[in-house]
Amino acid sequence: MHITMKWLLLLTTATVILAQGCQIQPTSTPAVYSLPQLKYRLISYFGVDDVFWCDPDFYPIGQPGQEEENAIKLFPTIRADEAEFTAILKYLSLSNKTEYTNEEKLLIYRQHKKLTYAVTVTASEDVYSFTLHVGEGQGYRYEGIITPSGTIRNLEREVSFNTCPICLVIGTLIDTPGGPVPVEQLGKGMVVWTVDDMGRRTTARVLETAATQVPASFQVVRVRLNDGRTVTASAGHPTAEGQALGDYQAGDTLDGALVVAVEHLAYDGGATYDILPSGTTGVYWANGVLLKSTIPSD
């Protein structure tokens, strides 16, 4: 009996030691981030100051006090999105409280705009596809996948001309020697009509093209002339005279005709487009109206 108890004690001790030595350590569960947190990770990864986006409060035409007014007006809507609001508060090191000052509302609103416009993220099965632009002017467009745990993969980069959408709506017809061609179908090396320094019509080759993504809330301006011509573009797009389309009013003169109507319309085309023709003037005919390219020449 004594021997049996001794062996039982040894066996028990060995079992405990074995169990302790082979104890299964708990595995750590990868963090799962909310969509706004993933956007912040992407913006941080590519550089807060390098990620390119267009601020709707300052483009195409900013008004004094407009940003502050929108910050206060939209604050309840921003606060209602718990995931985004929580991410913004953490980023700004602000506490969650009942009341916020107008200055704090402005800071929160600016972060809301950044998360809304700086990066596009789309759910795809159990991961997210993203698109963003880096660098103003001649920069890059990045596409890839980010997992819920924040891992970035399948990253692709292509050269992109990043500018705020002061360009033409999809389907705008550009005059070429072979007939009108939709602006989105033009490519480098194709021939279009332009004018030289003497105002004479001449041919030019397309040196650059630009396609700028726009949000669903984007608006454009449509200018109608008394000779039947109509052109629709971003309000900031310049005419051959260097004046923005959005600055024209009924009764003004544009390309030799009278402006009879100026309308501001919602645009759901997804992107605006522009070209840069060779030559010294940078102008071309869009829907028969002489406009100036927004793409800077070297």
Side-chain angles (χ1 to χ4, degrees):
M1 183 68 178
H2 179 71
I3 297 176
T4 303
M5 290 298 296
K6 179 178 179 182
W7 280 108
L8 284 174
L9 180 60
L10 290 173
L11 180 60
T12 301
T13 303
T15 302
V16 170
I17 295 174
L18 182 62
Q20 290 177 342
C22 300
Q23 184 177 2
I24 298 176
Q25 299 297 323
T27 57
S28 57
T29 302
V32 175
Y33 297 99
S34 67
L35 183 57
Q37 288 174 326
L38 290 176
K39 289 184 176 183
Y40 267 132
R41 290 179 71 85
L42 286 168
I43 292 170
S44 175
Y45 179 84
F46 289 99
V48 174
D49 296 328
D50 295 326
V51 174
F52 177 82
W53 59 285
C54 296
D55 192 324
D57 286 309
F58 298 97
Y59 175 82
I61 301 174
Q63 299 294 336
Q66 176 177 316
E67 186 183 32
E68 292 80 0
E69 180 181 340
N70 286 338
I72 297 172
K73 178 181 178 182
L74 295 176
F75 182 75
T77 301
I78 298 171
R79 187 169 194 166
D81 188 334
E82 183 178 353
E84 182 185 84
F85 193 67
T86 300
I88 290 175
L89 291 183
K90 182 177 181 180
Y91 182 84
L92 294 175
S93 298
L94 289 176
S95 60
N96 193 343
K97 53 189 179 181
T98 303
E99 298 293 335
Y100 292 85
T101 66
N102 287 345
E103 290 76 12
E104 290 172 329
K105 289 178 181 179
L106 179 58
L107 291 175
I108 292 169
Y109 175 60
R110 286 172 175 169
Q111 292 302 313
H112 163 73
K113 290 189 293 182
K114 183 188 297 183
L115 293 175
T116 301
Y117 299 111
V119 56
T120 300
V121 178
T122 306
S124 177
E125 297 181 352
D126 58 343
V127 295
Y128 295 92
S129 301
F130 69 84
T131 302
L132 53 73
H133 294 77
V134 172
E136 185 172 3
Q138 193 67 52
Y140 299 97
R141 179 176 185 267
Y142 287 90
E143 289 185 349
I145 289 175
I146 185 168
T147 67
S149 62
T151 301
I152 298 172
R153 64 187 192 214
N154 297 349
L155 187 63
E156 295 183 2
R157 185 184 78 170
E158 65 178 25
V159 175
S160 171
F161 187 82
N162 301 327
T163 180
C164 290
I166 49 176
C167 308
L168 308 171
V169 299
I170 189 170
T172 301
L173 298 177
I174 306 300
D175 285 358
T176 79
V181 176
V183 62
E184 69 274 12
Q185 295 181 16
L186 289 171
K188 291 183 180 181
M190 298 178 69
V191 180
V192 299
W193 288 112
T194 186
V195 297
D196 60 19
D197 288 331
M198 302 299 293
R200 296 172 298 197
R201 184 182 178 97
T202 185
T203 58
R205 292 195 176 276
V206 175
L207 299 179
E208 297 287 346
T209 63
T212 306
Q213 301 296 312
V214 297
S217 59
F218 190 70
Q219 288 196 332
V220 294
V221 62
R222 176 182 294 164
V223 178
R224 299 180 182 274
L225 305 180
N226 66 342
D227 59 7
R229 289 178 294 165
T230 300
V231 63
T232 306
S234 302
H237 197 102
T239 64
E241 292 83 6
Q243 183 174 341
L245 278 175
D247 292 340
Y248 282 85
Q249 299 179 2
D252 291 343
T253 300
L254 171 58
D255 198 20
L258 287 177
V259 175
V260 295
V262 178
E263 306 169 87
H264 292 269
L265 309 169
Y267 176 62
D268 60 359
T272 57
Y273 302 85
D274 202 5
I275 62 168
L276 174 65
S278 61
T280 57
T281 61
V283 299
Y284 53 81
W285 278 272
N287 284 0
V289 179
L290 198 60
L291 301 181
K292 186 175 180 65
S293 175
T294 64
I295 304 175
S297 57
D298 294 333

